[in-house]
Amino acid sequence: MMFTAAMFALAVAMLLLLVRLFAGPTLYDRVLALNSFGTVTVLLIGVVGFMTERPDFLDIALLYALINFVGTIAILKFFRYKDLGQGLPEGEDPASLQNGDSK
């Protein structure tokens, strides 16, 4: 019963995150909602695995969490540099990117 309530709460959270994903005023709000949706999905996979007594779902949830993290970093890098393969420009100091002083 308790895990059914947890699944219902996670489903409600996913619906609210979808609203934020499509209505978010900025790109970063949408990326944050997508990342949060992925995190809630990992939790949902874990709960379903526990309810069905299949511990291999935990491996699937961990793999999905890693893909979610790498995907979020790739999306943010793409929207910042407009290219996933672009490195630092010639003579660019990596410390200047932390302060937001990119040329």
Side-chain angles (χ1 to χ4, degrees):
M1 179 69 180
M2 188 168 85
F3 289 106
T4 306
M7 283 182 57
F8 178 73
L10 289 172
V12 169
M14 290 172 91
L15 286 174
L16 291 173
L17 285 167
L18 283 176
V19 169
R20 172 53 69 194
L21 179 67
F22 291 114
T26 67
L27 171 74
Y28 295 106
D29 289 332
R30 292 178 174 157
V31 171
L32 180 64
L34 185 64
N35 188 18
S36 299
F37 186 85
T39 302
V40 173
T41 303
V42 168
L43 291 172
L44 187 64
I45 291 171
V47 170
V48 168
F50 187 81
M51 286 182 65
T52 59
E53 296 178 2
R54 295 195 52 184
D56 51 335
F57 273 38
L58 183 59
D59 296 335
I60 296 169
L62 287 173
L63 179 66
Y64 188 78
L66 288 172
I67 291 171
N68 183 35
F69 174 72
V70 171
T72 301
I73 297 300
I75 288 170
L76 289 174
K77 183 178 179 184
F78 178 76
F79 283 114
R80 177 162 183 175
Y81 297 112
K82 304 296 184 218
D83 186 16
L84 289 176
Q86 178 181 352
L88 289 175
E90 204 57 44
E92 181 79 25
D93 182 25
S96 68
L97 291 177
Q98 293 176 352
N99 300 331
D101 300 334
S102 65
K103 296 177 183 175

